[in-house]
């Protein structure tokens, strides 16, 4: 009996050890499977984080630009801009999106809201009350809030009541970029723990019409870290991800997974894994994460179960392997799709940044070039007035014409850089195309048939009429060369609705979904190959000989369209022809406010006593010569501070002529506002060598005072001064 028991015991021990080893190996295999899932979860979470922040960055930037283009802001307009941006975005992550303008006192904020109380009430806003109630040096209350569900807890919140938020806000207003404030307590947070964060971007509201003049504001998106992932992380049902999101050195913790499974021991799979940081619109973002696995009851007792049912466990492992392969394939497909979306978002953002950088460079060059041209033109006109010999007057005239051509080239550069000083107004597109057709009949050869297609029913647009006519002329001249002075040119316009499902070419050009008017100019010329079409909007690119084109025609057309809120697309086929499609936003439904007719209240005096504020000596000498030749008396100072001091000590001036940008504390715009208040009898004329300066003050001051962009002729200057001495009747 003892002899037979020993082999049985040995076999039992062997079976037990084999089962135990198999169970241990199965446990390791299971952990290896869960480790693979954890790695995929980490990569997916990091990709989702980058995609979420990149999407939010683009939405905030597009909303800020749309608000800056608006001549006023109402609850309905803000809601429309928010909805358009939400439709264009991939996902919505924020709990609230609020616009917070700056006010000096709570009375100003109350007056602003009271003026539009009916519109706030119609939009479903609660009663306005600034909170918290503590006194602050400056107020940034949340006046426009989306979505509607967030208004009861956000409407009226004073951002200046929080020190850390105001520090982030001041940096945004100083740099004009984007900043994160974290961690913070949002007004919607019920637990009042600092677990949320804000994304802030600056908005220039100097063009907004309201009961008080708005100067600056910022757009804030409040959200929790968990909202960045939006349940798009396909975690295993037993995985718990502990993620620390770092945004600009601020840490935001978030836990993903079912944390209720906390009674079982947690097995660490990945510990403190840091994903490479990224920079998204100035925000540095990185992620540190850990993954734990909460085993099931049968998994904890796996070695014993395997010892009893080895065959069943082996069969189960085979099935698990097949399921894992399918699971991994699905996760890889989802990850690849998210990576493609992120790459496309980065590509569009990089292209936008390149265009913005080149536009700033062009604007700076144009400022200096316009000042140089102004000096040359002014001196040439003074020489022409003094010179008596016909031959020498002819030479001066040719030099003046060359200067004018330089001025035209500068305007084309500014159109490309989207820095032109546009003066948009409400126009009917059909009438504008009819006028352009009449102009082209006079300019193009009679061998070109100009056809004006039916454009009835086309909605009105807000655009600079001269800029639109110049764009059509540039396209028509290119068409003339492509048709070799013989062919057909067709002008037409249609109403277009741009949606999220629009063709890829339209989606990639940055148009916000909405209603547009499309102006199409089609020719029957030679057309262009695809490799040429890809470059036609690049500045200085041309297929013409060196002496026959600057390469700025179509690039300036694109710049004009983009500055007007639209874009320009091209379609061309060799041997068939070319079509240029110009997109412009449909005009808002608000009625047009027409200025009151001017009434002459006093005659133009024979001479004016003029105070000239100009820091450039060469330009000042030219202006003094032109003004004194016209019979005016001029006293020149070289800064706004000096001009204000002179006005405080003397009452002898009829007119102030001031450059917009000068050294010192008082710039031209600030000087004009002070003169308006304390010296209303002094007329004001602003001048600038940088058209963007004029555009920045257009909505505020040019409705009351003219702005002239250098270079300008003596005749233009004298006529402007004559018209300035006739003022509209006061109401």
């Amino acid at each position: 009996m003892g002899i037979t028991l020993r082999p049985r015991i040995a076999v039992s021990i062997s079976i037990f050890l084999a089962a135990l080893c198999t169970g241990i190996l199965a446990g390791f295999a299971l952990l290896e499977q869960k480790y693979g899932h954890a790695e995929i979860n980490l990569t997916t979470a990091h990709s989702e984080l980058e995609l979420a922040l990149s999407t939010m960055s683009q939405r905030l930037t597009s909303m800020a630009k749309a608000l800056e283009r608006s001549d006023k802001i109402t609850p309905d307009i803000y809601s429309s801009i928010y909805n358009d941006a939400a439709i264009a975005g991939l996902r919505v992550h924020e709990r609230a999106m609020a616009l917070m303008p700056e006010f000096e006192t709570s009375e100003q904020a109350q007056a602003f809201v009271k003026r539009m109380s009916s519109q706030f009430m119609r939009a479903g806003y609660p009663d306005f009350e600034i909170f918290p109630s503590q006194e602050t040096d400056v107020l940034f209350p949340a006046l426009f809030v989306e979505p509607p569900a967030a208004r009861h807890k956000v409407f009226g919140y004073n951002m200046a009541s929080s020190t850390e938020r105001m520090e982030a806000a001041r940096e945004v207003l100083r740099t004009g970029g984007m900043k994160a404030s974290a961690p913070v307590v949002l007004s919607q947070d019920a637990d009042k723990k600092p677990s949320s964060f804000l994304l802030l971007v600056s908005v220039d509201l100097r063009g907004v019409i309201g009961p008080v003049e708005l100067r600056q504001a910022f757009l804030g998106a409040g959200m929790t870290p968990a909202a960045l992932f939006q349940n798009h992380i396909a975690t295993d049902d037993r995985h718990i991800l502990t993620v620390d999101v770092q945004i600009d050195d601020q840490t935001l913790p978030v836990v993903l997974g079912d944390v209720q499974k906390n009674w079982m021991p947690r097995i660490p799979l990945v510990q403190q894994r840091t994903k490479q940081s990224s920079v998204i619109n100035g925000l540095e973002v990185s992620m540190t994460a850990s993954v734990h696995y909460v085993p099931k009851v049968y998994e904890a007792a796996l070695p014993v179960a395997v010892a009893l049912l080895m065959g069943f466990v082996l069969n189960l492992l085979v099935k698990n392997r097949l399921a894992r392969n399918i699971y991994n394939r699905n996760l890889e497909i989802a990850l690849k799709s998210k990576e493609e979306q992120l790459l496309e978002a980065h590509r569009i953002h990089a292209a936008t940044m390149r265009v913005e950088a080149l536009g700033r460079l062009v604007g700076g060059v144009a400022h200096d070039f316009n000042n140089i041209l102004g000096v040359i033109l002014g001196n040439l006109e003074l020489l022409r007035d003094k010179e008596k010999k016909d031959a020498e007057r002819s030479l001066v005239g040719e030099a003046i014409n060359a200067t004018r051509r330089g001025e035209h080239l500068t305007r084309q550069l500014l159109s490309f850089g989207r820095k032109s000083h546009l003066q948009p107004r409400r126009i009917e597109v059909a009438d504008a195309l009819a006028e352009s057709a009449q102009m082209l009949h006079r300019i193009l050869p009679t061998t070109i048939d100009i056809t004006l297609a039916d454009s009835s029913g086309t909605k009105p647009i807000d655009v600079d009429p001269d800029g639109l006519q110049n764009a059509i002329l540039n396209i028509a001249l290119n068409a003339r060369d492509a048709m070799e002075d013989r062919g057909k040119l067709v002008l037409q316009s249609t109403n277009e609705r741009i949606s999220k499902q629009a063709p890829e070419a339209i989606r990639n050009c940055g148009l916000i979904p909405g209603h547009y008017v499309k102006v199409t100019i089609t020719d029957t010329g030679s057309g262009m190959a695809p490799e040429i079409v890809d470059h036609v909007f690049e500045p200085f690119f041309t297929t013409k000989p060196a002496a026959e084109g600057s390469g700025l025609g179509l690039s300036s057309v694109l710049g004009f369209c983009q500055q007007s809120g639209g874009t320009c697309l091209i379609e061309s086929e060799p041997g068939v022809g070319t079509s240029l499609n110009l997109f412009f936003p449909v005009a808002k439904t608000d009625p047009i406010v027409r200025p009151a007719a001017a009434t002459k209240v006093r005659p133009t005096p024979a001479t004016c006593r003029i105070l000239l504020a100009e820091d450039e000596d060469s330009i000042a000498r030219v202006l003094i010569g032109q003004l004194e030749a016209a019979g005016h008396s001029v006293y020149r100072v070289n800064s706004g501070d000096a001009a204000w001091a002179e006005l405080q000590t003397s009452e002898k001036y009829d007119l102030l002529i001031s450059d917009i940008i000068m050294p010192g504390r008082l710039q031209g715009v600030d000087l004009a506002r002070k003169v308006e208040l304390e010296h209303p009898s002094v007329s004001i004329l602003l001048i600038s060598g940088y058209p963007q300066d004029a555009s920045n003050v257009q909505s505020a001051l040019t409705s009351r005072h003219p702005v002239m962009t250098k270079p300008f002729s003596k005749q233009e200057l004298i006529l402007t001064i004559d018209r300035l001495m006739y003022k509209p009747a006061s109401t």
Side-chain angles (χ1 to χ4, degrees), residues 515-582:
H515 295 279
Y516 292 81
V517 170
K518 181 175 72 172
V519 176
T520 303
I521 300 98
T522 304
D523 67 62
T524 58
S526 57
M528 290 176 281
E531 58 269 18
I532 295 178
V533 171
D534 292 340
H535 299 283
V536 293
F537 291 119
E538 295 178 0
F540 309 112
F541 175 82
T542 179
T543 57
K544 300 177 184 178
E548 296 184 13
S550 64
L552 287 173
L554 291 183
S555 62
S556 66
V557 171
L558 176 61
F560 165 72
C561 294
Q562 290 176 334
Q563 193 174 354
S564 302
T567 192
C568 180
L569 300 177
I570 185 171
E571 301 173 4
S572 186
E573 184 177 349
V576 177
T578 302
S579 291
L580 271 296
N581 299 306
L582 284 63

Side-chain angles (χ1 to χ4, degrees), residues 25 56 134 144 199 209 217 225 235 259 271 273 304 333 348 357 381 383 390 421 532 542 589 617 622 653 686 716:
L25 291 175
M56 283 301 303
Q134 71 226 51
F144 303 92
L199 283 182
I209 299 173
T235 60
V259 295
Q271 289 279 33
R273 179 72 57 80
V304 177
I333 292 172
I348 295 174
E381 288 183 329
L383 285 175
D390 292 340
H421 175 31
I532 295 178
T542 179
T589 56
D617 292 338
V622 170
Y653 296 106
L686 298 173
E716 292 171 336

Side-chain angles (χ1 to χ4, degrees), residues 187-333:
S187 59
Q188 309 98 293
D189 290 339
D191 54 4
K192 300 303 179 184
K193 295 180 181 179
S195 59
S196 303
F197 71 104
L198 282 167
L199 283 182
L200 303 173
V201 65
S202 64
V203 183
D204 185 358
L205 292 182
R206 286 177 292 181
V208 174
I209 299 173
V212 295
E213 184 174 349
L214 301 180
R215 293 172 293 177
Q216 57 186 0
F218 52 85
L219 198 60
M223 63 196 78
T224 57
L228 296 175
F229 301 94
Q230 289 289 313
N231 298 323
H232 294 296
I233 310 302
T235 60
D236 186 283
D237 64 338
R238 311 294 291 186
H239 280 174
I240 297 176
L241 274 73
T242 303
V243 181
D244 288 333
V245 180
Q246 289 91 30
I247 303 179
D248 280 355
D249 298 328
Q250 300 295 327
T251 301
L252 303 169
V254 60
V255 178
L256 304 175
D258 189 356
V259 295
Q260 298 301 320
K261 298 183 176 70
N262 55 4
W263 61 275
M264 289 289 289
R266 298 182 182 182
I267 301 175
L269 297 177
V270 178
Q271 289 279 33
Q272 296 296 308
R273 179 72 57 80
T274 299
K275 287 292 185 179
Q276 184 178 3
S277 63
S278 303
V279 178
I280 300 172
N281 203 8
L283 297 175
E284 185 174 357
V285 181
S286 61
M287 183 187 86
T288 301
S290 300
V291 183
H292 290 79
Y293 178 68
V294 181
K296 299 179 181 178
V297 176
Y298 78 87
E299 292 170 341
L302 186 61
V304 177
V306 171
L308 299 174
L309 300 170
M310 289 180 60
F312 173 77
V313 172
L314 290 174
N315 183 55
L316 180 63
L317 288 175
V318 171
K319 290 183 178 180
N320 260 350
R321 189 72 180 180
L322 294 174
R324 185 181 110 181
N325 290 339
I326 296 174
Y327 178 79
N328 287 345
R329 259 197 318 271
N330 292 336
L331 282 177
E332 288 171 357
I333 292 172

Side-chain angles (χ1 to χ4, degrees), residues 700-711:
L701 285 178
T702 57
S703 61
R704 304 188 294 273
H705 312 294
V707 179
M708 297 188 69
T709 303
K710 305 170 189 175

